[in-house]
Amino acid sequence: MIVGSSLISKGTINSEFAKEIAAELSPEKLIFALDSRGGYVAIKGWQEITSITPLEMMCALESFCGAFLYTHIDTEGLLQGIPLDVVRQLRSSTSKQFIAAGGIHTQEEISELHAIGVDAVVGMAIYRGLMPA
């Protein structure tokens, strides 16, 4: 189950909700989605930017999930690549599976992500025929 915006309530990380669903479903079954614009977590369909950084959110929620799905909104759909420095920092902050999305457009980029233990979500590059499906 992928959980996103429900993890933020009234501008703060809702770790109590994360704890409750982890207890009910087990952390291994949960993927927490973190969408980031300008270095801060975005919620409500990317329409609202919080004051919470992805790193803060990951550290607060680490024990309640099996994986994190990070979307770098700033580069999503642009086919210009995902900032690997940001992905490296986040990857190093968790022992959980880490999945990244947001502008990934070449096989080389996927190989670089794989080398640091990051799984990739590729969309636009496949839709545009730049990479095989």
Side-chain angles (χ1 to χ4, degrees):
M1 169 184 263
I2 298 178
V3 181
S5 291
S6 301
L7 296 169
I8 297 178
S9 176
K10 298 178 184 174
T12 61
I13 299 167
N14 191 347
S15 54
E16 190 57 38
F17 174 68
K19 183 178 179 178
E20 289 172 16
I21 60 173
E24 185 174 328
L25 301 174
S26 87
E28 297 78 29
K29 294 181 181 178
L30 296 173
I31 299 171
F32 290 162
L34 305 164
D35 301 332
S36 175
R37 176 180 285 146
Y40 294 94
V41 174
I43 58 173
K44 298 181 181 175
W46 300 355
Q47 299 303 305
E48 184 179 320
I49 307 302
T50 69
S51 61
I52 301 165
T53 68
L55 183 60
E56 291 169 330
M57 194 161 174
M58 288 174 63
C59 290
L61 300 174
E62 167 107 18
S63 60
F64 306 118
C65 69
F68 290 102
L69 168 58
Y70 172 76
T71 301
H72 194 82
I73 300 168
D74 302 305
T75 54
E76 177 66 28
L78 299 179
L79 298 173
Q80 297 175 351
I82 192 167
L84 293 174
D85 57 331
V86 172
V87 174
R88 278 188 194 94
Q89 178 191 26
L90 295 174
R91 165 74 272 177
S92 68
S93 73
T94 183
S95 62
K96 305 296 181 172
Q97 179 186 10
F98 191 77
I99 307 158
I104 299 166
H105 70 298
T106 65
Q107 182 59 51
E108 292 79 23
E109 202 171 3
I110 293 171
S111 296
E112 287 183 63
L113 291 167
H114 179 72
I116 60 171
V118 176
D119 296 312
V121 175
V122 179
M124 191 61 69
I126 293 172
Y127 302 140
R128 296 267 176 96
L130 301 174
M131 293 180 66

